[in-house]
Amino acid sequence: MKILSKKQELCIACGACEEVCSKTYFKEKASEKSCIKIESSKEEKINVCNQCGVCIDICPVRAISRNTLGVVTIKKKDCVGCFMCVGFCPEEAMRQHDDYVEPFKCIACGLCVHACPTGAIFIGEVEGQEAEMLEQIAASGGNL
């Protein structure tokens, strides 16, 4: 399973990852339109989807699924904009913005990895026990 991994201790809260994400997907520099969030006042600075899949079971219209790489994606044409996935995301990594009818999330594209000057974020493969744990989280609705 492909996920955006993080090393919190390396994050300097520069915002480069947020900038490249919002520019790539929304064509503007706006941190509130980034799939990754950086909080400079928290110990847990980097907030991004871990691809647990809890949102898949929450979606009433099945607009959310896991692709062949293990990445959770949203089919915008099927989404009705109920935002239940946003409210039930255990990582608080499912995003919404008033300019858009659909929620959005990290798809582990890796563009932010190239923008990060410290290596605080990187694309990683999750296998074995960690992948099983993510599947258990999804199966339990985020309540382990």
Side-chain angles (χ1 to χ4, degrees):
M1 177 185 306
K2 180 177 145 180
I3 67 168
L4 189 66
S5 298
K6 53 195 174 182
K7 293 180 184 175
Q8 300 285 356
E9 68 277 7
L10 296 179
C11 182
I12 58 172
C14 67
C17 57
E18 293 174 316
E19 184 177 324
V20 73
C21 183
S22 66
K23 280 185 174 180
T24 300
Y25 292 100
F26 298 106
K27 309 298 183 235
E28 61 183 288
K29 181 181 170 184
S31 62
E32 67 276 4
K33 292 182 181 178
S34 172
C35 298
I36 187 170
K37 296 291 179 198
I38 305 300
E39 298 287 336
S40 58
S41 62
K42 292 183 175 181
E43 185 176 313
E44 185 82 8
K45 292 179 184 179
I46 306 167
N47 177 267
V48 67
C49 180
N50 67 3
Q51 310 303 332
C52 74
V54 168
C55 53
I56 294 170
D57 294 329
I58 296 299
C59 182
V61 296
R62 303 278 183 221
I64 305 172
S65 61
R66 189 178 303 279
N67 70 18
T68 56
L69 298 174
V71 177
V72 176
T73 60
I74 304 167
K75 294 178 197 125
K76 291 184 179 187
K77 65 180 178 78
D78 295 338
C79 180
V80 295
C82 70
F83 297 107
M84 287 180 61
C85 54
V86 175
F88 283 95
C89 179
E91 295 294 315
E92 298 180 355
M94 186 68 78
R95 312 282 182 225
Q96 75 180 76
H97 192 279
D98 291 343
D99 289 351
Y100 304 100
V101 176
E102 307 89 6
F104 55 97
K105 61 173 290 305
C106 175
I107 58 167
C109 71
L111 294 173
C112 57
V113 171
H114 302 295
C116 181
T118 64
I121 50 179
F122 56 97
I123 295 293
E125 283 289 329
V126 178
E127 297 175 359
Q129 223 174 4
E130 192 174 357
E132 287 176 26
M133 181 190 71
L134 289 173
E135 289 172 11
Q136 287 175 354
I137 291 170
S140 69
N143 301 312
L144 277 186

